[in-house]
Amino acid sequence: MEHLIRTRDLLKTTIHQSTQLDLQIHQTTTNLSRINSSKSHITNIPSLSSLHHHLHRALPPVSAVFQVYQVVEELGGLLSDHHPSPDLHHHLSLLKRFSQALTLLTNTCNLAILWVEDIDTTIVDTLYHSNVSKTLHILKELQRFEERSLLKHGILNVAFENLKHEFTNLLIENSFPLQVPSSLFSSGDDESDVFDPLPEALPFPIVKNLQDIVACFSCNNLVDQCIHVYIKIRGTIVHRSLEGLDLDYLEITLTEFHSVQEVEGYIDEWGRHLEFVVKHLLELEYTLCEHVFSKSIEVNVWKYCFSKIALQSGIQSFIKFANTVTKCKKEAIKLFKLLDIFTTLNNLRQDFNRIFGGKLCSEIQSQTRGLLKNVVNGACEIFQDLKAQVELQRLNDPPPDGTIPKLVIFVTEYANELLDDEYKHELEQVLKIHSSWHNESKFTKGIVSLEIQNIVKSLELNLETWAKRYEDASLSYIFLMNTNCYLRKHLKATKLGDLMGESWIKQHEAHVEYYMSLYLKESWGRIPALLSNNDRNKMKGFNDTFDQVFRKQSEWVLCDRDLRWKTCQMIMEVVVPVYKTLVESGATATHSPNSNKYLKYSDEKIENMLTSMFRSKLDKYGSSAKCTSLMGKIKNVVTGHFSPTNAAA
């Protein structure tokens, strides 16, 4: 049906054109009078026999000029009376024929002028010379008709202005901002928002009309007028498409934040926003530019338009923001954000190379390469410095209460995060790129795992060094119980635990038992010996020993609940039986006037005191929080990660 309709419209147009042609033929008689008048200036010259040769050659071109001029005049009238909107293709056809007729008129005048000038040089008679000069003047005026038609208010100029207005209206009336997916306002994990990456920017019939208009302008070397309009309108549409996003963060400067943690949320948004701009918004403009200007004679016109629109999209602001992040304070947590930026750039690499390829987008290419260099170098510098930063912490003091150092929690959680499949893969890519840039002969496969193993070994050496710093051996054992229990319990069935191996996990499990036995012997080993003491003040000796140990260890902490419970049970197994024996054996004889003098605690009181040991302050005041809650998010574990001035605690 659509084919029949188009055929019908074509037949109507053909009939209309035939009618116009018939009208032109009937009007020819009127216009020939002027042509005959012009011919008379030449044919009335006497002594034709002497000029016969020149006249024979000059008359046909002159006659042709006036015939062509007649067509130009009639087509110009039709073009002036017709507007592009009702029937664009008929208007383009008129414009094309009028433009071709003008060119033919100019070329025919050029030929006729040559022959008439040849006659002019052979005439001596003044009157005859005047007639020929008049003819020559008319021809030269007609020769400039095409040039004058392009001047302001000229027929061709007005026609192109109308066509430019139609081009503008088609773009404005059919261009709408691209819908922003709701996932850009969240974490980006919402799969419910289905978003077509390549929606139709403009309806196909509209694109076809725009193509034809561009082709018409291009054929007349006026395509710049279309380019200017197109860039302005589509650039505005791109800007409006981004109005729904809060992109003020892109202008943040290095002086406005100290740590990467302060802009962490912005970095996550940056990745989602940049993907939307490149894969959806600019991809759409890239395709549309290519289609609209596909019929332009000029090479790479559409790429020029796209490059200008791309700059208006703020793509350079995205690159600038990421570069600002690479220049902020060097800290361990920054490595993850640099890898996030690298991941985004790597995912968009093919899109960048395709839509920003060529000289016209060389500035964007250069800035992107500079950003990638900063990201790769920054990430490698932090990763390669991790082990050294762990070693620097060895100079600091361990926690005074024997708890797990924040550095231990940070390093293990940090290493686990790095060993995550996504981060590990990206980090290996970064290291490989960095290696190739520095002409290193061979890239070590598995370098990430190898370096993390070295970091953990360095951390273990820190623990051994810190344990020796305690003046009280019992506190040293509490510290080693805490750290070995943490490494055994919290790394089991993790990426880091798998890397270190099952035997490594079991080794730390054995260390917990070993240091627990040493602790019991060092702290409570004197209690059973009281039973063999013949001193009548055995209870007093018990009280003094118990009070001394309990008071000294009341601020010590065992972070793991199971370890704390087990340790307290083992202490009670040592202390409570001795205490009961002392009470029952008559250490405080009932016949003595001071029988209750040293009976300081009841059995229940002793047990309650022992089971309350090694709790954190939060636990003591009724909070259910545990030391293990210190882990949380990596970024909140250590402030100023790996700063040499930080205590291990």
Side-chain angles (χ1 to χ4, degrees):
M1 180 59 69
E2 292 179 357
H3 179 70
L4 289 174
I5 291 172
R6 287 196 297 269
T7 304
R8 182 198 63 188
D9 294 340
L10 179 62
L11 288 172
K12 285 183 177 180
T13 301
T14 305
I15 292 172
H16 177 74
Q17 292 174 346
S18 299
T19 304
Q20 294 297 323
L21 182 60
D22 182 64
L23 181 62
Q24 293 174 23
I25 293 172
H26 282 82
Q27 292 176 344
T28 301
T29 305
T30 304
N31 291 298
L32 281 176
S33 60
R34 287 180 295 174
I35 298 174
N36 292 331
S37 174
S38 297
K39 286 182 181 179
S40 65
H41 290 300
I42 298 175
T43 55
N44 289 334
I45 300 174
S47 305
L48 287 178
S49 57
S50 62
L51 301 174
H52 179 271
H53 176 70
H54 298 285
L55 289 173
H56 180 71
R57 292 174 177 257
L59 285 175
V62 172
S63 178
V65 166
F66 292 107
Q67 291 176 12
V68 173
Y69 174 72
Q70 177 191 3
V71 175
V72 167
E73 191 175 45
E74 293 173 359
L75 287 175
L78 293 173
L79 186 61
S80 298
D81 295 336
H82 193 276
H83 194 272
S85 296
D87 190 345
L88 175 63
H89 290 92
H90 178 58
H91 184 83
L92 290 173
S93 176
L94 280 175
L95 183 55
K96 180 180 179 180
R97 285 186 291 161
F98 180 69
S99 180
Q100 291 174 341
L102 284 176
T103 302
L104 179 60
L105 176 63
T106 301
N107 293 336
T108 307
C109 285
N110 291 338
L111 180 61
I113 288 171
L114 289 175
W115 288 109
V116 173
E117 285 179 339
D118 189 39
I119 296 174
D120 191 43
T121 58
T122 61
I123 296 177
V124 179
D125 186 275
T126 303
L127 177 61
Y128 301 153
H129 184 273
S130 175
N131 290 336
V132 172
S133 296
K134 290 179 182 179
T135 301
L136 193 58
H137 174 75
I138 292 173
L139 291 174
K140 288 182 178 181
E141 286 295 312
L142 294 176
Q143 183 189 37
R144 291 191 292 272
F145 191 84
E146 182 178 17
E147 179 183 342
R148 289 198 303 271
S149 68
L150 286 169
L151 298 177
K152 189 174 182 180
H153 304 307
I155 296 177
L156 205 56
N157 176 268
V158 172
F160 277 116
E161 283 296 322
N162 290 337
L163 197 57
K164 178 181 175 181
H165 184 70
E166 179 69 11
F167 184 81
T168 303
N169 286 343
L170 287 174
L171 279 174
I172 292 176
E173 293 172 2
N174 296 280
S175 295
F176 303 97
L178 186 62
Q179 178 187 1
V180 177
S182 60
S183 59
L184 293 186
F185 301 98
S186 60
S187 63
D189 299 327
D190 185 8
E191 298 294 336
S192 62
D193 185 20
V194 179
F195 181 69
D196 183 2
L198 282 176
E200 189 180 57
L202 294 175
F204 176 76
I206 301 301
V207 174
K208 183 67 170 60
N209 287 345
L210 293 174
Q211 287 176 341
D212 293 338
I213 293 175
V214 168
C216 182
F217 274 95
S218 181
C219 288
N220 290 274
N221 298 319
L222 297 171
V223 74
D224 285 348
Q225 296 187 34
C226 291
I227 292 173
H228 175 74
V229 170
Y230 186 87
I231 292 174
K232 182 178 180 180
I233 295 175
R234 291 306 301 182
T236 302
I237 293 299
V238 167
H239 180 74
R240 287 175 57 193
S241 298
L242 295 175
E243 284 181 347
L245 301 175
D246 184 6
L247 298 179
D248 291 342
Y249 69 89
L250 295 179
E251 302 304 321
I252 195 170
T253 62
L254 196 58
T255 58
E256 296 179 63
F257 67 98
H258 179 64
S259 169
V260 72
Q261 295 182 60
E262 298 176 48
V263 293
E264 183 177 16
Y266 291 148
I267 297 172
D268 296 337
E269 286 186 344
W270 174 88
R272 297 195 301 272
H273 292 167
L274 182 60
E275 181 178 355
F276 169 72
V277 169
V278 174
K279 281 185 171 290
H280 305 311
L281 188 58
L282 291 183
E283 177 68 32
L284 199 67
E285 295 303 324
Y286 181 86
T287 303
L288 187 61
C289 281
E290 185 177 11
H291 288 168
V292 169
F293 290 92
S294 60
K295 294 183 179 180
S296 174
I297 298 174
E298 292 80 358
V299 180
N300 292 332
V301 165
W302 70 272
K303 289 186 177 180
Y304 172 80
C305 289
F306 172 75
S307 68
K308 295 300 182 182
I309 294 172
L311 291 175
Q312 292 187 35
S313 72
I315 188 69
Q316 291 174 303
S317 295
F318 282 91
I319 298 173
K320 177 185 175 183
F321 171 79
N323 264 320
T324 302
V325 173
T326 66
K327 297 173 184 177
C328 71
K329 182 183 71 173
K330 187 176 78 171
E331 50 188 335
I333 196 67
K334 181 180 174 182
L335 175 59
F336 292 109
K337 307 323 295 179
L338 291 178
L339 291 178
D340 288 342
I341 293 174
F342 176 82
T343 299
T344 299
L345 294 176
N346 196 37
N347 290 340
L348 297 174
R349 178 170 53 87
Q350 291 184 349
D351 300 278
F352 262 77
N353 291 341
R354 180 170 51 82
I355 69 177
F356 298 130
K359 294 181 179 180
L360 294 172
C361 291
S362 59
E363 186 177 355
I364 296 176
Q365 295 170 26
S366 176
Q367 292 176 353
T368 305
R369 284 194 297 268
L371 171 59
L372 182 61
K373 181 179 179 181
N374 291 339
V375 169
V376 169
N377 289 338
C380 288
E381 184 179 359
I382 293 174
F383 180 70
Q384 293 168 354
D385 198 37
L386 289 176
K387 183 173 178 291
Q389 292 300 323
V390 171
E391 293 171 351
L392 280 175
Q393 297 298 310
R394 203 171 296 160
L395 302 174
N396 300 322
D397 294 326
D401 56 0
T403 54
I404 304 168
K406 292 179 181 179
L407 181 69
V408 174
I409 300 172
F410 172 76
V411 169
T412 52
E413 292 296 309
Y414 189 92
N416 258 323
E417 194 76 10
L418 276 182
L419 288 171
D420 180 77
D421 291 340
E422 182 177 348
Y423 276 129
K424 182 181 178 183
H425 175 70
E426 297 299 337
L427 181 54
E428 286 178 344
Q429 278 192 293
V430 166
L431 293 170
K432 189 173 183 178
I433 292 171
H434 186 267
S435 176
S436 67
W437 286 352
H438 292 78
N439 298 319
E440 296 178 8
S441 57
K442 187 177 181 181
F443 172 74
T444 305
K445 191 175 182 180
I447 188 172
V448 173
S449 298
L450 180 62
E451 187 64 20
I452 288 177
Q453 284 179 320
N454 291 334
I455 292 171
V456 173
K457 290 177 182 178
S458 181
L459 179 64
E460 289 180 302
L461 187 56
N462 282 18
L463 298 179
E464 295 174 10
T465 304
W466 287 332
K468 295 175 182 178
R469 295 255 182 89
Y470 290 108
E471 295 180 0
D472 190 319
S474 296
L475 181 54
S476 174
Y477 299 142
I478 289 291
F479 172 76
L480 291 170
M481 287 165 61
N482 268 323
T483 53
N484 280 277
C485 179
Y486 175 83
L487 294 175
R488 181 261 303 174
K489 190 170 185 178
H490 291 280
L491 297 189
K492 191 174 183 178
T494 65
K495 297 281 187 180
L496 181 56
D498 293 342
L499 175 65
M500 301 307 295
E502 183 67 23
S503 61
W504 185 85
I505 298 290
K506 290 182 177 179
Q507 182 183 19
H508 285 285
E509 187 174 359
H511 285 168
V512 174
E513 300 296 328
Y514 174 70
Y515 291 120
M516 183 185 295
S517 64
L518 292 179
Y519 162 75
L520 290 171
K521 182 179 179 180
E522 180 70 24
S523 295
W524 306 99
R526 288 177 294 170
I527 296 292
L530 292 173
L531 294 176
S532 60
N533 192 346
N534 294 323
D535 190 351
R536 291 182 60 82
N537 294 325
K538 290 180 180 180
M539 182 58 74
K540 180 179 182 300
F542 175 87
N543 289 341
D544 291 343
T545 302
F546 180 82
D547 288 346
Q548 179 187 6
V549 174
F550 183 82
R551 183 171 57 253
K552 182 173 63 173
Q553 298 187 11
S554 63
E555 298 298 322
W556 297 0
V557 176
L558 284 173
C559 295
D560 184 76
R561 183 178 58 184
D562 294 336
L563 176 62
R564 182 170 61 244
W565 182 87
K566 183 177 181 179
T567 303
C568 290
Q569 289 298 312
M570 295 189 72
I571 294 173
M572 285 194 293
E573 290 176 6
V574 173
V575 175
V576 173
V578 172
Y579 184 71
K580 288 183 177 181
T581 301
L582 289 174
V583 173
E584 293 171 358
S585 66
T588 56
T590 56
H591 61 274
S592 171
N594 298 320
S595 59
N596 293 323
K597 181 178 180 180
Y598 297 111
L599 190 59
K600 190 174 181 179
Y601 305 109
S602 65
D603 294 352
E604 184 179 358
K605 178 65 174 177
I606 289 286
E607 291 179 1
N608 288 339
M609 290 176 69
L610 291 176
T611 55
S612 68
M613 292 181 68
F614 309 123
R615 294 179 180 273
S616 67
K617 291 182 179 179
L618 291 176
D619 287 334
K620 289 178 181 178
Y621 289 100
S623 172
S624 60
K626 300 178 290 185
C627 285
T628 50
S629 66
L630 288 172
M631 290 181 289
K633 291 186 177 181
I634 295 176
K635 62 178 179 294
N636 295 323
V637 175
V638 180
T639 304
H641 309 309
F642 293 171
S643 171
T645 59
N646 265 6

